[in-house]
Amino acid sequence: MYQEKTIQCKDCGQDFIFTVGEQEFYAERGFQNEPQRCKNCRDLRKNAGKSQKEMHVTTCADCGGEAKVPFQPSSDRPVYCSDCFAKIKQG
């Protein structure tokens, strides 16, 4: 029923593919209009109003590697890199 469509982005002018899967997604949600922007331009617009979180670099309490966290670490609690944090959370 659906076929891939090539659409020109109205912001950057680049062609992008409106895939069959995306068309099915749009139909399931009841969206009437096709996308007018490529994924990069959609993401840029979506994140334009958001402020960037300040990341703080510290040392992972488990592996000793670099850990970047969105909060100011304090010395009274351990801070983990994302890999070690995921291991701890799983087990």
Side-chain angles (χ1 to χ4, degrees), residues 64-81:
E66 182 180 273
K68 293 182 180 179
V69 293
F71 56 88
Q72 180 67 46
S74 62
S75 59
D76 64 332
R77 298 188 72 183
V79 176
Y80 303 101
C81 66

Side-chain angles (χ1 to χ4, degrees), residues 21-32:
E22 290 169 332
Q23 291 176 50
E24 291 171 347
F25 175 83
Y26 273 54
E28 287 173 7
R29 302 295 187 283
F31 299 148
Q32 300 293 318

Side-chain angles (χ1 to χ4, degrees), residues 57-60 63-68 80-82:
V57 179
T58 188
T59 304
C60 176
C63 71
E66 182 180 273
K68 293 182 180 179
Y80 303 101
C81 66
S82 55

Side-chain angles (χ1 to χ4, degrees), residues 30-43:
F31 299 148
Q32 300 293 318
N33 301 319
E34 295 178 348
Q36 296 181 9
R37 293 175 180 84
C38 65
K39 175 141 178 52
N40 283 342
C41 290
R42 285 194 310 257
D43 289 345

